Amino acid sequence: MSELDFVFWYWWVWALLLLVIELVAPGFFFLWMSAAGFVTGCLVFLFPDTPENFQIFEFSILSVAAIAVWRFYVKRHPIESDRPLLNKRGAQYIGRVFNLYTPIENGQGKIRVGDSIWTVHGPDCDIHTKVRVVSVNGTVFEVEKVE
């Protein structure tokens, strides 16, 4: 017997700690590690003579397996949002037509969208020319001239 015997409730406390970490740093990894810790604690409860190194191995395998299964499931069943453009502010303007606020010279100009001024890249055009947003690269719109 070693000085530190792993008791089943140590694993449950570990699972609870991992659950708290999941609340602070969401990402689902700690959630599944927490589940693995809980299951490990249950197995140690049922088989109290399990060696500590095997318990740690068991926890590691269960953690990796739980995370892998979760990733496989999410890949096959992606989470769909009712507001997919919520955090993609610029993407909501793709396909819309705006007048140039400043002319496009050397491939760079500006458009006014609501109360914001956005930098655009596209073919050289005069001021007030209509352009269509075709893509967004960070905070810069790629535009094409509307005939």
Side-chain angles (χ1 to χ4, degrees):
M1 240 195 212
S2 66
E3 294 178 16
L4 178 64
D5 288 332
F6 279 40
V7 185
F8 69 94
W9 61 269
Y10 287 4
W11 287 107
W12 291 347
V13 170
W14 178 243
L16 187 63
L17 178 67
L18 289 171
L19 196 59
V20 169
I21 292 172
E22 176 64 33
L23 293 174
V24 175
F28 290 106
F29 288 101
F30 292 107
L31 175 68
W32 296 112
M33 292 175 68
S34 173
F38 180 76
V39 171
T40 302
C42 290
L43 291 172
V44 172
F45 179 75
L46 294 173
F47 308 103
D49 294 332
T50 307
E52 288 85 11
N53 54 0
F54 186 76
Q55 292 176 27
I56 293 170
F57 176 74
E58 189 177 74
F59 170 73
S60 302
I61 295 298
L62 287 173
S63 294
V64 170
I67 291 169
V69 167
W70 169 73
R71 290 184 62 105
F72 179 75
Y73 177 80
V74 168
K75 191 174 184 178
R76 290 204 162 217
H77 306 284
I79 300 168
E80 294 183 21
S81 171
D82 59 339
R83 299 168 72 187
L85 300 177
L86 180 63
N87 292 324
K88 299 175 185 173
R89 182 175 174 210
Q92 63 186 322
Y93 300 118
I94 292 175
R96 290 183 57 186
V97 176
F98 297 97
N99 290 327
L100 284 176
Y101 184 71
T102 63
I104 298 177
E105 296 175 343
N106 299 321
Q108 188 169 346
K110 295 185 185 294
I111 60 173
R112 176 183 285 271
V113 178
D115 60 349
S116 302
I117 305 294
W118 292 75
T119 301
V120 296
H121 280 180
D124 288 354
C125 300
D126 292 329
I127 191 168
H128 302 299
T129 303
K130 291 187 181 289
V131 292
R132 175 177 290 117
V133 177
V134 292
S135 67
V136 179
N137 187 9
T139 59
V140 178
F141 291 150
E142 297 291 330
V143 295
E144 65 182 9
K145 185 176 179 181
V146 175
E147 301 296 328

